Amino acid sequence: MSTASVNDSSLPPVTKPASHWLWVAVSTPAHSSVSEPLSYLSDAPIAPGTLVRVPLGRREVLGVVWDAPPDGAVPDLPEGVTPRSIAGVLQGVAPLDASWRRLTAFTARYYQRALGEVALAALPPQLRDLTPEQMARRIQRKTRKKKDMAGVASAAIHPTPAPVALSDEQRRATLQIEAEDGPFLLFGATGSGKTEVYLHSVQRALEADPRAQVLVMVPEINLTPQLEARFLERFAPVYGDEAVVSMHSGMTSAQRLKSWLAAHTGEARIVLGTRMAVFASMPQLALIVVDEEHDASYKQQEGARYSARDLAVWRGREQQAKVILGSATPSLESWHASRSPSTDDPHGGRYLRLHMPSRIGAAELPRVRLVDMGQQPRGAVFSPPLLQAITERVERGEQCLVLLNRRGFAPVLHCKDCGWKSDCPHCSAHQVFHKIDRTLRCHHCGFTQRVPHACPSCGNVDISPLGRGTEQLEEQLAELLRNVITPQRRAARVARIDADTTKAKGALEEQLAAVHSGEIDVLVGTQMVAKGHDFRRITLVAAVQPDGALFSSDFRAPERLFALLMQAAGRAGRDADYIAEQGGNPPEMWIQTWHPEHSLYTSLRRHDYPRFAAEQLQERADAGMPPFAYQALVRADARTQEAAQAFLTAVSERAREAQLPGLDHVFLFPPVPMAVQRVANVERAQMLIESAHRGALQHFLAAWQSVLHAERANHKAVIRWLVDVDPQAI
């Protein structure tokens, strides 16, 4: 334990008698090598989990009182060091319970981050800035508001919502969830009614315990509004509007604090949120639902690089809460963890797999059609068969979705005379051409400039775009469909939804509402519209350029591609009644590819995820990759690539010299540049660490921290380093 202390005479000394030692988790600077928690004095004992304001250097910061060390020893102060006292307690906020503290401590330990960094990042930003006096005033206002609302509240007793008729598959799944402990992997086809299983399980949990709380997580912010609407419709009549709250980074600081306090006090019975919600303080947690559990968005990519899905499973076990992981395309880790017992593997996996292969009602899965682009006209963006299929759908009043996971008009501008390309001056990447505002933008560092009138290298005025983005698809489809007339006797309308068109507040909701109302005939979008959305009128989905991931250096790329395409296909034909009204033409998924015989597409045509997963798992087992091995990445950012790699080489050599614990079971690969090795004029290198034993890897990483801190002092050109445990991209 370290002691927060001063030996600077300019700082005020301790003036009040204080005899109680406290250990407080605070957010210390990254790589400060200060062990945590820090020690402070208090004139009265304070319970662990209490939020306090404490001095740190010349600042006053928020801290969380932590559990005292097992031996209860008084800190041994170095000579000349004066202990400091806490500045105040945030009254009105109940202490964070032991289960929350264990969750944050485990996260910090497993993902190799400082305890205070994780604990304070898990709290709403506004809470970190409030003084005890400001917090007291806020609590008083909230209490008065509750009393006023109670005085005018209706005394009517709300009935339990009428039960929704479940399909046989849904009923079997819900009965197993009620009867077993889990964790559960709900493997359900797109449109099979997984959300209704979630709602039913939530209802059962809340009915079983009048104080029970439920956490429901989705991978992206844009999926929360429609989910919140369904939960409010189901549960607000019984528990009130205040019982359902959301938590995600798109909310204002005041909104996030309000939701956090509602969950912390138990007022919120249901919390909906993105990955950050896994740290919500929910003392009566009874059920956790992780929807689209395969999604890479559950992995944090800054600071503490935690996996919210994995932490949800850990938290469920620790708080004895049931956990449901749901997906039509589960992650291979979850699929492997839910394997059935066999003669070779008598114990099987630790998850219970629940299978729902059929769509609700008479809806059928879309037929997958592969278009061999080698047999199509040269340079065609849309093959004639696909264009004809889109035209026929639009003329019948149906909607189509065109998927291209690349925004902008073109990935790069190019001069044919001298070979110049629109490279970013600050990154080892191209600037993307955005035609709509005539700019070149780097999607890595954000650098933006106007499109040059001529080639900056040779002066040639004939510079042209290479490749395609969603802007270009939108423009070309609008031109190709300009003479297509819908049953409403109007021209076909094409719209685009991607990160560029949804920047403004409320823009995404407005565009999705236009799709749902039928104002849009063809929707062009990136992966943000390919998953989770319940489009009732879309009957055709087309993937234009999916082949890039087939031959990626990242071993997870095929898994991500299969999930994206299968999830996109699931947007088509979700409403059997609508399909029947339109004449019964089956929904379709079109894929334009140069490799139609690839095994990934063979499995996709059959909607056969188990076959795809079996092939991928066999490849990974043969290569010794996750989930059959455990990995961590150490990344170094420096002023030069040589300095970054030199640092990684040095810490690797120091680890071998010191014979760190676990080293015999760990393999350290040589450092290499990252795929995009320079971002914002910072060079980046990485080194992979791999082990067949999770425990050995963790022991090694924990012992290696001191080496990393010490070696940093010998490499002045290194700006920062970080450890990424269980990386999702290599």
Side-chain angles (χ1 to χ4, degrees):
M1 303 294 174
S2 293
T3 302
S5 57
V6 296
N7 51 15
D8 188 336
S9 59
S10 65
L11 292 174
V14 178
T15 58
K16 296 188 295 182
S19 57
H20 297 275
W21 282 105
L22 297 179
W23 284 263
V24 182
V26 298
S27 185
T28 54
H31 306 319
S32 63
S33 73
V34 176
S35 60
E36 296 184 87
L38 302 182
S39 304
Y40 288 89
L41 285 173
S42 170
D43 55 3
I46 299 177
T50 302
L51 299 177
V52 292
R53 303 289 300 183
V54 296
L56 183 66
R58 297 181 179 276
R59 299 177 297 131
E60 186 178 284
V61 299
L62 181 69
V64 182
V65 177
W66 219 256
D67 303 87
D71 57 8
V74 174
D76 186 15
L77 301 181
E79 184 177 353
V81 171
T82 304
R84 306 180 75 176
S85 294
I86 64 169
V89 177
L90 266 66
Q91 300 290 346
V93 181
L96 294 154
D97 64 11
S99 62
W100 186 90
R101 300 197 302 277
R102 286 193 292 269
L103 172 66
T104 52
F106 169 78
T107 304
R109 185 170 62 251
Y110 185 83
Y111 292 101
Q112 304 297 315
R113 305 297 294 196
L115 172 64
E117 176 192 8
V118 175
L120 273 297
L123 300 176
Q126 197 172 56
L127 192 62
R128 291 175 242 158
D129 300 329
L130 292 176
T131 64
E133 294 75 22
Q134 291 171 326
M135 193 67 213
R137 288 195 296 269
R138 181 177 290 270
I139 295 295
Q140 286 179 344
R141 287 198 302 270
K142 186 175 181 180
T143 304
R144 285 197 301 268
K145 184 178 179 181
K146 274 189 175 181
K147 289 180 179 178
D148 294 341
M149 293 177 65
V152 298
S154 170
I157 299 176
H158 297 288
T160 300
V164 175
L166 300 177
S167 68
D168 290 340
E169 291 177 2
Q170 289 175 319
R171 190 177 302 107
R172 283 195 297 270
T174 55
L175 288 175
Q176 282 189 273
I177 291 171
E178 290 179 34
E180 305 283 349
D181 293 329
F184 305 95
L185 176 63
L186 184 59
F187 171 48
T190 53
S192 61
K194 293 186 292 296
T195 303
E196 187 55 48
V197 173
Y198 303 155
L199 289 164
H200 185 90
S201 300
V202 169
Q203 183 174 331
R204 285 285 186 265
L206 298 184
E207 290 173 348
D209 182 349
R211 300 183 304 161
Q213 295 176 290
V214 175
L215 172 62
V216 181
M217 294 197 296
V218 292
E220 295 184 6
I221 293 173
N222 65 70
L223 297 177
T224 54
Q226 66 179 27
L227 190 66
E228 185 174 16
R230 290 195 65 174
F231 272 81
L232 283 171
E233 180 184 11
R234 179 71 65 89
F235 297 107
V238 184
Y239 303 105
D241 292 344
E242 299 296 320
V244 181
V245 301
S246 293
M247 284 189 187
H248 55 76
S249 59
M251 302 167 66
T252 65
S253 295
Q255 290 172 330
R256 288 172 63 176
L257 178 58
K258 181 181 179 181
S259 294
W260 186 88
L261 287 172
H264 180 59
T265 59
E267 178 184 352
R269 303 292 302 280
I270 302 170
V271 174
L272 311 175
T274 51
R275 62 176 176 262
M276 62 181 290
V278 75
F279 291 109
S281 174
M282 303 177 70
Q284 304 300 326
L285 186 62
L287 173 67
I288 303 176
V289 176
V290 184
D291 192 24
E292 309 293 359
E293 67 86 30
H294 66 277
D295 201 290
S297 298
Y298 282 120
K299 175 73 168 172
Q300 172 74 7
Q301 294 301 321
E302 296 176 354
R305 300 193 166 205
Y306 61 87
S307 166
R309 178 198 66 208
D310 296 346
L311 288 180
V313 175
W314 190 93
R315 185 175 188 180
R317 183 178 67 247
E318 204 278 332
Q319 285 192 247
Q320 296 183 340
K322 293 189 177 184
V323 179
I324 304 173
L325 309 177
S327 177
T329 53
S331 64
L332 291 180
E333 285 82 358
S334 295
W335 185 258
H336 181 66
S338 66
R339 66 194 182 278
S340 301
S342 63
T343 52
D344 296 333
D345 185 11
H347 298 292
R350 63 188 186 278
Y351 299 171
L352 178 62
R353 187 184 301 169
L354 311 176
H355 194 192
M356 295 190 345
S358 307
R359 280 189 156 184
I360 289 296
E364 59 180 298
L365 291 169
R367 298 178 181 177
V368 178
R369 297 179 178 272
L370 300 178
V371 179
D372 186 352
M373 294 305 289
Q375 304 298 320
Q376 304 305 314
R378 184 180 179 87
V381 179
F382 295 95
S383 62
L386 173 57
L387 185 60
Q388 179 62 30
I390 293 175
T391 300
E392 291 175 359
R393 298 278 179 175
V394 173
E395 288 177 339
R396 288 199 298 266
E398 301 169 20
Q399 292 176 318
C400 301
L401 170 63
V402 178
L403 174 69
L404 177 61
N405 205 24
R406 179 177 289 161
R407 58 193 175 103
F409 189 86
V412 62
L413 282 183
H414 173 248
C415 175
K416 296 179 181 178
D417 285 0
C418 69
W420 171 86
K421 292 181 180 178
S422 55
D423 294 330
C424 175
H426 309 296
C427 306
S428 53
H430 300 308
Q431 285 186 288
V432 177
F433 172 41
H434 289 258
K435 186 177 181 180
I436 196 167
D437 58 0
R438 302 292 299 175
T439 60
L440 294 174
R441 301 183 209 162
C442 177
H443 292 173
H444 295 277
C445 72
F447 179 73
T448 302
Q449 62 184 5
R450 301 293 297 175
V451 173
H453 296 292
C455 173
S457 180
C458 69
N460 175 29
V461 295
D462 187 19
I463 52 177
S464 56
L466 281 181
R468 299 176 181 90
T470 50
E471 275 187 32
Q472 188 174 161
L473 291 194
E474 179 190 23
E475 179 182 282
Q476 293 193 359
L477 268 177
E479 175 64 21
L480 292 169
L481 301 178
R482 68 185 184 281
N483 296 323
V484 176
I485 305 299
T486 69
Q488 293 78 29
R489 309 307 302 168
R490 61 168 174 77
R493 296 173 180 170
V494 180
R496 170 171 54 95
I497 294 182
D498 57 25
D500 296 319
T501 65
T502 56
K503 289 180 180 178
K505 185 176 179 61
L508 177 61
E509 290 79 4
E510 183 179 336
Q511 290 174 303
L512 290 175
V515 178
H516 289 303
S517 66
E519 297 176 26
I520 305 302
D521 302 298
V522 181
L523 175 63
V524 177
T526 56
Q527 64 176 356
M528 68 187 300
V529 295
K531 51 193 175 185
H533 296 285
D534 191 17
F535 298 121
R536 312 305 292 181
R537 304 187 190 190
I538 286 181
T539 58
L540 182 147
V541 175
V544 178
Q545 292 180 330
D547 287 344
L550 294 177
F551 309 104
S552 170
S553 59
D554 187 348
F555 70 90
R556 295 185 193 272
E559 177 186 1
R560 288 195 292 265
L561 175 61
F562 189 92
L564 176 61
L565 294 178
M566 200 162 178
Q567 293 285 337
R571 300 316 104 201
R574 298 175 72 86
D575 191 335
D577 294 336
Y578 178 76
I579 295 291
E581 291 173 5
Q582 296 300 111
N585 294 287
E588 296 177 322
M589 170 68 170
W590 288 69
I591 301 175
Q592 295 189 156
T593 173
W594 293 90
H595 307 279
E597 303 303 321
H598 196 283
S599 61
L600 184 147
Y601 294 133
T602 302
S603 297
L604 191 68
R605 289 189 69 175
R606 302 172 182 173
H607 297 277
D608 193 351
Y609 174 81
R611 171 184 168 174
F612 168 78
E615 291 177 352
Q616 288 291 305
L617 286 172
Q618 186 59 55
E619 288 183 11
R620 293 195 187 181
D622 295 341
M625 291 182 173
F628 305 100
Y630 303 95
Q631 296 178 331
L633 275 178
V634 179
R635 196 182 90 189
D637 296 353
R639 296 182 178 87
T640 66
Q641 183 64 213
E642 293 75 17
Q645 293 195 36
F647 171 75
L648 295 177
T649 300
V651 295
S652 179
E653 292 174 350
R654 298 294 89 75
R656 293 187 177 94
E657 292 171 0
Q659 285 297 299
L660 296 180
L663 183 63
D664 292 343
H665 301 284
V666 170
F667 186 82
L668 284 76
F669 288 82
V672 294
M674 294 187 66
V676 181
Q677 71 176 55
R678 189 176 81 257
V679 172
N681 294 321
V682 173
E683 292 286 340
R684 311 185 305 167
Q686 65 183 13
M687 181 169 62
L688 179 66
I689 302 97
E690 195 170 77
S691 175
H693 307 282
R694 191 195 299 270
L697 179 61
Q698 282 291 315
H699 282 123
F700 173 77
L701 292 175
W704 205 20
Q705 286 287 326
S706 59
V707 175
L708 289 163
H709 284 294
E711 196 62 36
R712 166 77 185 280
N714 300 325
H715 295 77
K716 303 299 184 183
V718 173
I719 300 170
R720 55 187 166 264
W721 55 267
L722 61 87
V723 178
D724 185 0
V725 181
D726 301 334
Q728 290 298 298
I730 298 178

